[in-house]
Amino acid sequence: MKRALITFFILIIALLSFSKDYNFIFKDGLVNFIKMSPGKHKIENNAEIMWVIGSNGYSVSYEDFSPKFKIIDIKDYSYNTLKEIENNYYLVDDSNKIIYFNNKINSWVEILKEDFEVFNSNKILNISSDKDVYVGLKYDANWKNFYELKSNGNFKRSIEINSDYKGKGYTFLISTNINSDPNYYYSQVRNVETFSKSAMGDSNFSENINNEIYTVELRDFSIDSNKIILNLYEKDIINYEDRNLINFTPYSSNGSKNMLKYRLIENTDYNGLGLDINSGEVFISEKFDDIDFPLKKSFIDNYAKDELIRLSLGESWNMKYKIEKISDKNFKSQSTRIMEYKISIYNYDDKIQKVSILSDSLGMSIESIKFGNNISNIENNSKENIIDINFDISKSSDLIITLKYLYND
């Protein structure tokens, strides 16, 4: 059955004439999916041959090149620092010399670094077939998203690509590790050849999420250096809001500590965004003397269009809080526990700050809340098992919160 499926796959793929090379860049490597004719082909030494589809067989050898060498006594290098650059090949410190053990003459030898690079640069793939075949070559590579958010709301999305491979072709960036199934590449290429030209229009890229796998397609993309920064788009966010967060842990008292700060952004068209966001690093700038400085690095999760984006800004430098347990009473006859807390909030800024108090615990509910002075615009979204309180605070103040906890003996 397995042999029949493989034969069927080969027959189908032979019918397709690919018009270009294809590169698939995963989180842990790059796969170059190409068509080759029968015979001999040079393959870069840093490429691993994953599979050859449609051949009667293939073999791999190294390019025939014999560098000049000098026979040495390894003891003469006992005071040198040797760095292994490949299996049993060693670079001599502060020199352009490489030493290795030559099995043909059963002796250690020395060659020049430039001769080694020629000698070790190419493998020969010899394909036996009566028709073209399809080859998957694997290279070291990775890619990641990163974003920049300026103080004026300018939101820039870029991609960093690192790769040992160089070449031009239709390129996929895929948010998973390498897929070893050749049929996966065939199906992706077939879709491109059939549909993508009209679907992409005049855009240089398209992106989609399918079964939580995020894919970017880059047509006619040239990988011409080991590191590439690709700017995909810039958006101007109209409004965002910074909030200070108290992660409230019931049933225990906490000492004074800094609040956490996060930024809320509506991921909507009318707010200037409205995009599917793939996870990555975010560099956040703040303005000082009319100049933006990238002061914080955060991380953005995956967000769909119209979701509320939450960016962590780390600890707040101007907002602290302290939680003190005032009372704790058990009513065993009612399987109830009543706890009263005082939350002191210290605002060291001269501006009004927005604060959220969040917590979740099974069996918990709020009995009452008493707010002190300087607290306004109170929004209480709490419900059973959830504390969700939001408000503005102009100066330092406090609140008293009474919790009821139901438990089973």
Side-chain angles (χ1 to χ4, degrees):
M1 182 65 180
K2 183 176 181 182
R3 181 177 296 176
L5 288 173
I6 294 173
T7 303
F8 177 72
F9 174 73
I10 292 172
L11 289 174
I12 291 178
I13 201 168
L15 298 175
L16 186 63
S17 178
F18 296 163
S19 61
K20 55 182 76 67
D21 287 350
Y22 288 85
N23 299 313
F24 295 79
I25 306 178
F26 297 85
K27 292 298 185 179
D28 62 343
L30 178 149
V31 176
N32 180 220
F33 187 61
I34 56 176
K35 180 169 67 174
M36 287 187 177
S37 59
K40 293 183 177 182
H41 300 267
K42 287 185 178 181
I43 305 295
E44 293 175 304
N45 192 49
N46 60 339
E48 174 189 335
I49 300 170
M50 295 179 65
W51 23 254
V52 178
I53 302 173
S55 70
N56 300 324
Y58 68 93
S59 61
V60 179
S61 60
Y62 281 90
E63 195 169 14
D64 186 17
F65 176 77
S66 299
K68 294 180 181 180
F69 62 83
K70 181 176 72 173
I71 297 175
I72 61 170
D73 185 347
I74 191 63
K75 294 179 182 178
D76 294 338
Y77 293 80
S78 59
Y79 295 102
N80 292 96
T81 301
L82 303 179
K83 179 183 178 182
E84 187 173 21
I85 57 175
E86 199 169 304
N87 189 27
N88 295 323
Y89 286 85
Y90 300 88
L91 177 66
V92 182
D93 64 329
D94 299 325
S95 76
N96 68 333
K97 298 175 182 178
I98 290 174
I99 63 173
Y100 69 97
F101 190 80
N102 190 318
N103 291 310
K104 292 182 180 180
I105 61 173
N106 199 32
S107 178
W108 283 90
V109 299
E110 175 188 281
I111 62 174
L112 297 177
K113 184 179 179 182
E114 50 265 36
D115 286 341
F116 170 80
E117 290 172 349
V118 174
F119 163 66
N120 209 36
S121 61
N122 290 306
K123 292 180 284 193
I124 302 298
L125 173 62
N126 189 11
I127 300 171
S128 175
S129 178
D130 56 0
K131 60 182 181 298
D132 289 343
V133 300
Y134 296 90
V135 180
L137 302 176
K138 177 184 174 183
Y139 295 82
D140 287 338
N142 60 72
W143 71 278
K144 65 178 181 179
N145 291 295
F146 68 93
Y147 303 84
E148 298 171 77
L149 178 58
K150 300 292 183 66
S151 61
N152 63 358
N154 180 263
F155 187 70
K156 182 178 180 181
R157 186 227 175 148
S158 303
I159 288 175
E160 178 183 315
I161 300 172
N162 299 284
S163 174
D164 278 353
Y165 169 83
K166 291 183 176 63
K168 186 176 181 179
Y170 198 103
T171 301
F172 295 83
L173 307 178
I174 304 155
S175 64
T176 62
N177 290 336
I178 283 181
N179 192 319
S180 59
D181 180 7
N183 190 49
Y184 166 82
Y185 302 90
Y186 167 72
S187 62
Q188 294 291 334
V189 169
R190 182 180 59 182
N191 289 338
V192 169
E193 295 285 335
T194 307
F195 304 113
S196 287
K197 289 180 182 178
S198 59
M200 292 178 69
D202 296 329
S203 175
N204 291 324
F205 76 96
S206 66
E207 51 189 337
N208 64 80
I209 299 176
N210 186 21
N211 293 327
E212 298 186 355
I213 297 176
Y214 177 79
T215 303
V216 181
E217 294 182 29
L218 306 168
R219 59 183 179 185
D220 299 325
F221 184 68
S222 180
I223 305 174
D224 51 15
S225 65
N226 294 113
K227 182 176 180 178
I228 296 175
I229 303 297
L230 179 64
N231 298 321
L232 289 191
Y233 56 73
E234 288 188 47
K235 296 286 184 177
D236 290 319
I237 297 171
I238 299 172
N239 290 306
Y240 60 81
E241 179 180 275
D242 288 351
R243 281 194 171 272
N244 300 280
L245 172 64
I246 298 175
N247 275 322
F248 179 44
T249 305
Y251 327 127
S252 62
S253 297
N254 299 291
S256 178
K257 59 178 66 176
N258 288 26
M259 291 189 192
L260 299 176
K261 187 181 285 286
Y262 61 91
R263 182 160 293 176
L264 296 177
I265 303 171
E266 289 188 18
N267 184 18
T268 55
D269 290 325
Y270 64 79
N271 197 36
L273 204 54
L275 299 168
D276 287 333
I277 303 294
N278 188 233
S279 62
E281 293 179 333
V282 186
F283 297 89
I284 301 171
S285 296
E286 300 293 340
K287 182 172 285 188
F288 295 93
D289 297 327
D290 294 327
I291 300 175
D292 263 6
F293 294 93
L295 296 182
K296 295 183 176 68
K297 183 172 76 171
S298 185
F299 186 85
I300 191 169
D301 290 320
N302 293 324
Y303 286 97
K305 181 180 177 181
D306 296 326
E307 278 192 308
L308 183 64
I309 296 173
R310 293 177 181 266
L311 290 181
S312 172
L313 303 181
E315 289 190 350
S316 174
W317 60 272
N318 56 10
M319 294 290 291
K320 287 181 175 287
Y321 71 96
K322 182 179 180 180
I323 299 178
E324 300 173 85
K325 185 188 289 185
I326 300 174
S327 65
D328 187 348
K329 299 177 181 179
N330 271 309
F331 299 90
K332 293 185 178 181
S333 60
Q334 303 174 26
S335 299
T336 302
R337 184 178 180 182
I338 302 295
M339 293 151 289
E340 191 174 44
Y341 290 89
K342 177 182 179 182
I343 303 177
S344 301
I345 301 174
Y346 308 100
N347 181 2
Y348 297 105
D349 203 316
D350 57 0
K351 298 178 181 177
I352 294 175
Q353 298 288 323
K354 296 181 179 296
V355 176
S356 293
I357 301 177
L358 301 178
S359 180
D360 62 273
S361 183
L362 189 64
M364 175 188 65
S365 61
I366 295 179
E367 281 282 276
S368 65
I369 308 175
K370 297 178 182 178
F371 293 93
N373 296 328
N374 306 318
I375 293 177
S376 60
N377 296 326
I378 299 166
E379 182 182 313
N380 186 1
N381 299 316
S382 302
K383 53 186 178 181
E384 188 175 358
N385 307 324
I386 298 291
I387 295 175
D388 183 357
I389 305 168
N390 305 279
F391 52 86
D392 295 344
I393 183 167
S394 57
K395 295 180 181 179
S396 297
S397 187
D398 51 50
L399 58 94
I400 305 294
I401 181 169
T402 304
L403 300 178
K404 180 171 72 174
Y405 178 66
L406 301 177
Y407 59 90
N408 295 318
D409 291 331

